[in-house]
Amino acid sequence: MTTMTEASVREFKMPDVGEGLTEAEILKWYVQPGDTVTDGQVVCEVETAKAAVELPIPYDGVVRALHFPEGTTVDVGTSIIAVAVAGAAAPEAPAEAPAQPAEEPKPEGRQPVLVGYGVAASSTKRRPRKGPEVTVPAAARAAQAVQSELNGHGAVADRTRPLAKPPVRKLAKDLGVDLATVTPSGADGVITREDVHAAAAPRTAEPAAPAAPAATAPAAAPVASYDTARETRVPVKGVRKVTAQAMVGSAFTAPHVTEFVTVDVTRTMKLVEELKQDKEMQGLRVNPLLLIAKALLVAIKRNPDVNASWDEAAQEIVRKHYVNLGIAAATPRGLIVPNIKDAHDKTLPELAEALGELVATAREGKTSPAAMQGGTVTITNVGVFGVDTGTPILNPGESAILAVGAIKLQPWVHKGKVKPRQVTTLALSFDHRLVDGELGSKVLADVAAVLEQPKRLITWA
């Protein structure tokens, strides 16, 4: 009978994308135990706090075990799949869950990366998703949890201290839960996130019951319940979780000021229709947002001090000599703000192409974390929802955000007469530490002026 040696098994860990993320949720497995995988093949899709990405395996072999089922949130650096390397004999199915095998160092020059971060599209293959069966070795998970505890708290662990990973400890601290009072449900007595949430949940008060006989198991403590027919509870995680945290942080860190202007954009709407017929713009995404984006870029060029960020640690204002233009996009996973790198250098056709790619990628849920980093200013188009305007919250680290309202036919005084004109309302929120009222007003007025007279795209550019 042929058996597998420890050295023949490699553990693929949840990779660090280098964007400060500490965990990701496994959305889909594309392989199952026993499947053959090849170098560069996508084995699963995960959702980080910023986007959904696909993970390719960095070696050939046979899947031995999937350590976590779909829907599980896993810390970066935790092993998620065991693969028997190519050429090794497949193991027999053990009666008990196998212990964690020793990890073999990865070969030099080949590191696990996310799709979009170094693996060519041609080398990425998907296998059809099979049934929900997932092999989750309990002993392996326990060993990982205990090792994580040791790694996070020194070489000599205090065994009287409740076992919990650093993220779980932080969660307990945030919720005001004493870990010493939490009953662990994880392997080897490790406290999980669910244990902390259960301890933090309000419990119904009951009179103290007499001690149960030694042979009788104590009754479980009652927990608060709710009417499922009248309420639905949705866990806050992934993109929505990080968006909520970012917006709260932005609202209570940067002093927001919002100014408004209502403008006649009839000439801009006419130009949009003309550009749709232009040969240079054929096949490109041409809409009012394109010209609004160009108008904002022109306004920034005329008022460059608005394009800055605040460095709290250094107590410095960082003025940017480039514009990474963010476009707020509503997706099924929540609000994301990918940005067009170096938008200030792009011609109108190049800007149209970049906008089209940004929107298409966001709709497919394939926006990469890198595409959402480094933004300097943002546009949010609330008009697509029929909303006149709003007071947008700054994307963290940025100086300004422009909200565009619905473009509607309204009565407007034009050349001394009341006529039906295409009108919209713009709102500019800015960080008052960086942008004073005069500068903010000039930027908003310039955007409005370009949209009212789009020929300024030429005279002011």
Side-chain angles (χ1 to χ4, degrees):
M1 177 174 60
T2 303
T3 59
M4 180 181 302
T5 63
E6 288 185 342
S8 67
V9 176
R10 289 183 180 165
E11 296 290 333
F12 178 67
K13 297 180 179 181
M14 183 70 73
D16 180 359
V17 300
E19 299 291 347
L21 303 176
T22 60
E23 62 185 17
E25 178 187 352
I26 298 175
L27 296 180
K28 295 179 183 179
W29 282 110
Y30 295 122
V31 295
Q32 294 295 319
D35 287 354
T36 299
V37 293
T38 57
D39 186 351
Q41 177 179 333
V42 171
V43 294
C44 69
E45 181 181 18
V46 301
E47 182 179 39
T48 69
K50 298 181 181 297
V53 294
E54 296 175 327
L55 301 184
I57 201 79
Y59 30 71
D60 300 337
V62 177
V63 177
R64 180 178 183 182
L66 309 180
H67 295 327
F68 298 95
E70 294 175 356
T72 304
T73 298
V74 181
D75 292 333
V76 167
T78 302
S79 180
I80 60 175
I81 180 173
V83 176
V85 296
E92 293 183 355
E96 299 292 336
Q100 176 78 2
E103 182 178 344
E104 180 177 307
K106 300 179 182 68
E108 293 185 4
R110 192 72 177 96
Q111 298 294 330
V113 295
L114 302 185
V115 168
Y117 287 84
V119 176
S122 60
S123 67
T124 301
K125 304 175 183 177
R126 282 195 183 186
R127 294 181 61 88
R129 182 180 173 187
K130 299 183 179 179
E133 176 189 359
V134 176
T135 301
V136 186
R141 294 200 308 272
Q144 293 161 4
V146 173
Q147 186 62 45
S148 176
E149 172 69 12
L150 293 175
N151 291 342
H153 301 284
V156 179
D158 180 0
R159 303 309 295 173
T160 64
R161 189 182 188 191
L163 287 178
K165 297 180 183 179
V168 177
R169 292 188 182 280
K170 182 179 184 302
L171 174 64
K173 180 179 179 181
D174 293 342
L175 296 179
V177 174
D178 183 357
L179 286 177
T181 66
V182 178
T183 301
S185 65
D188 283 7
V190 175
I191 297 174
T192 67
R193 294 172 183 273
E194 290 71 22
D195 298 334
V196 174
H197 283 298
R203 299 177 182 273
T204 55
E206 282 193 354
T216 305
V223 297
S225 61
Y226 63 95
D227 187 347
T228 57
R230 292 168 61 85
E231 297 178 1
T232 299
R233 300 200 175 197
V234 180
V236 180
K237 55 186 179 180
V239 173
R240 193 170 298 278
K241 179 179 179 180
V242 77
T243 299
Q245 294 171 341
M247 292 299 98
V248 170
S250 176
F252 290 98
T253 301
H256 284 57
V257 173
T258 306
E259 295 186 345
F260 308 87
V261 64
T262 301
V263 58
D264 177 2
V265 295
T266 304
R267 291 186 178 90
T268 288
M269 298 303 290
K270 289 181 178 178
L271 179 56
V272 168
E273 294 305 314
E274 292 173 5
L275 288 173
K276 288 180 179 180
Q277 308 304 318
D278 193 303
K279 292 182 180 180
E280 297 294 327
M281 304 297 288
Q282 291 301 304
L284 298 176
R285 186 182 182 88
V286 179
N287 56 20
L289 180 60
L290 172 61
L291 294 185
I292 292 168
K294 194 65 175 178
L296 178 57
L297 292 171
V298 169
I300 293 172
K301 182 178 180 180
R302 287 167 56 85
N303 305 275
D305 287 353
V306 75
N307 190 42
S309 63
W310 182 272
D311 188 331
E312 181 65 29
Q315 287 294 291
E316 294 176 340
I317 293 174
V318 183
R319 289 177 177 157
K320 311 293 177 65
H321 305 304
Y322 59 91
V323 181
N324 290 346
L325 181 62
I327 304 294
T331 73
R333 291 188 175 93
L335 177 70
I336 63 174
V337 189
N339 60 76
I340 299 172
K341 308 299 183 187
D342 294 326
H344 64 290
D345 276 342
K346 296 188 181 298
T347 64
L348 194 63
E350 290 171 343
L351 188 62
E353 182 178 9
L355 272 172
E357 291 176 356
L358 180 149
V359 171
T361 303
R363 286 177 177 173
E364 294 171 1
K366 301 301 181 183
T367 303
S368 70
M372 292 182 281
Q373 299 298 308
T376 59
V377 295
T378 290
I379 296 176
T380 178
N381 186 8
V382 297
V384 296
F385 305 109
V387 174
D388 290 337
T389 191
T391 54
I393 296 178
L394 292 168
N395 202 30
E398 298 183 10
S399 59
I401 180 171
L402 177 70
V404 182
I407 298 174
K408 299 179 180 179
L409 199 63
Q410 297 182 24
W412 192 262
V413 177
H414 177 68
K415 296 181 179 180
K417 296 182 180 179
V418 177
K419 297 181 179 180
R421 304 285 288 180
Q422 298 281 359
V423 176
T424 191
T425 299
L426 308 174
L428 183 73
S429 290
F430 49 88
D431 185 339
H432 217 345
R433 297 173 300 178
L434 298 161
V435 183
D436 59 24
E438 179 184 9
L439 178 57
S441 298
K442 286 181 176 179
V443 172
L444 185 58
D446 280 356
V447 174
V450 171
L451 295 179
E452 186 175 25
Q453 293 282 356
K455 67 181 181 181
R456 292 190 172 106
L457 288 172
I458 300 174
T459 58
W460 286 2

